[in-house]
Amino acid sequence: MDRTAEFGIMAGIVISTGFFAMIFGIFYLYKRERMAMIERGMDPRRYKPQSAPFQTLKWALLLIGAGAGLFFAYVLDHTLFSKMGDIEDGGNVAIYFALIAIFGGSGLFLSFLMEKKHNNGEGEKVD
């Protein structure tokens, strides 16, 4: 038996064991949390986790910004930098990471500004 076959068998065993441990851990922690709530006198059926209304907006703008940065880097790499000729294939990896970080950070900053505007507008209304 060669090494790749041994690696495939070991990978199957490790992945299966890890998946089982993850599912077991999730249920164990869920039950443990419920027991702790009961010990403190709380009713677990009435417990509702607090919602974060801007969490979805934050993730959406982050992913949109990262996608736009990746697309912009691809366009730059295949138009502007391909005409230079002296850069080999795969030589522009840094521009991909840089533009993903710049556009993703811009998305997070936009999310911050939108949340701040909403909270300021909410605080000014006094009835």
Side-chain angles (χ1 to χ4, degrees), residues 12-28:
I13 292 170
V14 169
I15 289 172
S16 300
T17 306
F19 183 72
F20 173 76
M22 180 183 70
I23 298 297
F24 178 77
I26 289 171
F27 280 110
Y28 174 74

Side-chain angles (χ1 to χ4, degrees), residues 62-123:
L62 172 66
L63 293 176
I64 288 170
L70 184 61
F71 176 72
F72 191 61
Y74 176 80
V75 169
L76 281 178
D77 190 26
H78 284 82
T79 57
L80 182 67
F81 294 124
S82 67
K83 293 179 182 176
M84 291 183 176
D86 58 338
I87 298 176
E88 296 177 13
D89 190 30
N92 295 324
V93 176
I95 195 168
Y96 285 92
F97 287 111
L99 287 176
I100 288 171
I102 289 170
F103 279 81
S106 300
L108 287 176
F109 184 69
L110 182 63
S111 170
F112 167 75
L113 291 177
M114 292 173 75
E115 186 174 350
K116 184 177 177 183
K117 181 179 178 183
H118 181 268
N119 288 341
N120 285 345
E122 201 173 81

